[in-house]
Amino acid sequence: MKRLKFYIFLLLVAVSGSVAYASETSDSASAAINPKEIMFEHLLDGYGWEIPFDHHHRIPLPVIVWASDGLHCFSSSHLEHGHTYTDKGVTFAIAGPESPYKEKVVELTPEGEKRPWDFSITKNVCALFITVFLVLGLMIWLARFHKNHPYKAPRKGLGFLEVAVTFVYDGVVKPILGPSARKFAPYLMTVFFFILFMNLLGLIVIFPGGANLTGNIAVTLVLSICTFIATNMFANKHYWKEIFWPDVPLWLKFPLPIMPVIEIFGMFTKPAALTIRLFANMMGGHMIVITLTLLIFIFSAISPAAGGAATVVSLIFSIFMLLIDVLVSFIQAYVFTMLSTIFIGLANEHEHEKEDAADKGEIGKEIVDTLV
């Protein structure tokens, strides 16, 4: 253990010394760094995949747009570094920061920029495909193992995957939903592992990681809408009765429908809470790590000594935050799945169950009040 600490100390000293030397010999390069541009380049979507430590080249992705004359497909490498590309007589470019279509593919016409229908495989779309294939492949692998070895427990990575499946199903889905657990388990288990792998892949710097999917509010919104549909589409009569005619004094329902309006409003605040909770937590974690890393270059532009000291501090805190983000990745996937399960459980609650204080619906309401 002492030897490991000594090696880590030597690594930090070596890195801080190299940063200080680089700062002293290339002040102009350090001064040219734009922290805001680097931060948003990582956090936002793009038409190419960044290569670590190389901001001049990207892994190209296909651009698929429907312009004024029809469909166009070409590589995003043609549009790098502000270049324009002409395909079938139509010129395309990436809109600049002053354009209303900032960082989007636009069609250049005599009248100005025109936004075509964009179906491109962007970084986030590609990362979604990778996550889907990864989750699907692992689940098929686990299912085939149990089919071929029904009385044998898997080991190593596959064993950890089975532990996660058992933990979520037996610890969350089954206790809350009871007899309906098998009906909703496929969706809820898919949501858990889909969010988990999106979170973990986002923490990896190199391809196929690096895409900030759960830090994109559009992704979390779609997941929340899926929970909203599952909750309301399969709800029973008692759920809708409590929405439009709750058990409250009559003057709260008629002639002014105060409580029904509040209940209807609550139907939409639940998916909104799911959306913002997952988005804000994952976006915040990414921003903290990127900011800590950029502090190295910001202080290196001031002086070599400041750059060396900032390197040691930033590396320590960046590693610590990454470890915290790994834990947060599991927690956020778990919380999203648990809240989705509670919402579905409350929508399938029967009237006689409401009278039992220990019922899963009552427990679910207390958890919702605490977390949401």
Side-chain angles (χ1 to χ4, degrees):
M1 188 67 182
K2 292 182 179 179
R3 184 175 296 180
L4 177 61
K5 292 180 180 179
F6 177 71
Y7 287 149
I8 294 175
F9 174 74
L10 288 180
L11 177 63
L12 292 174
V13 172
V15 172
S16 61
S18 62
V19 171
Y21 175 77
S23 174
E24 187 176 5
T25 56
S26 57
D27 290 335
S28 59
S30 299
I33 293 176
N34 187 339
K36 181 180 178 181
E37 180 181 351
I38 295 174
M39 181 176 294
F40 282 99
E41 183 180 21
H42 173 77
L43 296 176
L44 301 181
D45 200 3
Y47 292 94
W49 212 297
E50 296 86 359
I51 299 176
F53 313 110
D54 186 356
H55 291 279
H56 300 287
H57 301 88
R58 291 187 175 190
I59 301 174
L61 296 171
V63 176
I64 307 171
V65 293
W66 186 275
S68 55
D69 65 334
L71 186 66
H72 294 263
C73 302
F74 53 90
S75 173
S76 62
S77 60
H78 297 297
L79 302 178
E80 289 184 352
H81 309 300
H83 294 163
T84 60
Y85 178 70
T86 302
D87 182 50
K88 302 176 186 178
V90 181
T91 303
F92 298 96
I94 300 290
E98 304 299 329
S99 171
Y101 312 114
K102 180 181 178 182
E103 301 299 327
K104 300 296 182 182
V105 172
V106 293
E107 177 185 352
L108 301 180
T109 64
E111 293 79 17
E113 296 179 345
K114 183 180 179 181
R115 183 83 167 98
W117 289 96
D118 197 345
F119 306 98
S120 302
I121 307 298
T122 61
K123 182 175 69 172
N124 283 351
V125 175
C126 184
L128 281 172
F129 287 149
I130 292 173
T131 307
V132 168
F133 289 130
L134 181 61
V135 173
L136 186 62
L138 289 174
M139 292 302 122
I140 293 176
W141 184 24
L142 181 61
R144 285 185 176 178
F145 177 88
H146 282 289
K147 183 179 180 181
N148 298 329
H149 308 88
Y151 301 105
K152 186 178 180 181
R155 298 182 179 180
K156 298 182 180 179
L158 198 59
F160 177 78
L161 187 64
E162 185 182 33
V163 170
V165 172
T166 305
F167 173 73
V168 176
Y169 181 76
D170 293 340
V172 178
V173 180
K174 194 173 180 179
I176 295 176
L177 296 181
S180 302
R182 293 179 64 87
K183 178 180 179 181
F184 296 101
Y187 166 70
L188 295 169
M189 299 298 294
T190 300
V191 165
F192 174 79
F193 285 103
F194 188 59
I195 294 175
L196 176 61
F197 281 100
M198 282 194 298
N199 292 345
L200 295 178
L201 285 175
L203 300 178
I204 303 174
V205 179
I206 60 176
F207 181 86
N212 185 29
L213 285 176
T214 45
N216 187 325
I217 197 169
V219 175
T220 60
L221 176 61
V222 171
L223 292 173
S224 301
I225 290 175
C226 291
T227 296
F228 176 78
I229 293 173
T231 300
N232 294 279
M233 181 176 291
F234 299 99
N236 57 22
K237 295 179 180 179
H238 176 67
Y239 171 78
W240 292 112
K241 174 185 174 298
E242 289 296 318
I243 294 292
F244 294 105
W245 198 258
D247 293 331
V248 294
L250 183 63
W251 62 273
L252 292 174
K253 299 179 289 188
F254 182 83
L256 294 177
I258 300 175
M259 287 305 299
V261 170
I262 294 176
E263 293 291 341
I264 293 173
F265 181 73
M267 291 172 54
F268 297 96
T269 57
K270 293 175 182 177
L274 288 177
T275 301
I276 297 173
R277 172 182 288 277
L278 180 58
F279 161 73
N281 280 280
M282 299 313 300
M283 172 68 84
H286 282 264
M287 291 188 67
I288 291 173
V289 174
I290 297 173
T291 303
L292 288 172
T293 305
L294 290 175
L295 286 177
I296 299 173
F297 303 97
I298 295 173
F299 280 98
S300 296
I302 299 174
S303 71
T311 300
V312 176
V313 176
S314 296
L315 279 177
I316 293 174
F317 279 97
S318 295
I319 294 173
F320 174 75
M321 285 305 305
L322 282 173
L323 294 175
I324 294 295
D325 279 343
V326 172
L327 178 62
V328 170
S329 298
F330 283 90
I331 292 174
Q332 291 305 315
Y334 177 80
V335 170
F336 192 100
T337 305
M338 182 180 64
L339 290 176
S340 298
T341 306
I342 291 172
F343 296 155
I344 294 173
L346 292 175
N348 287 270
E349 182 185 22
H350 297 286
E351 190 167 3
H352 67 276
E353 295 174 342
K354 188 179 177 183
E355 300 175 359
D356 187 0
D359 182 71
K360 62 180 183 298
E362 296 297 329
I363 298 174
K365 290 177 181 178
E366 294 178 5
I367 298 177
V368 170
D369 292 339
T370 303
L371 295 177
V372 178

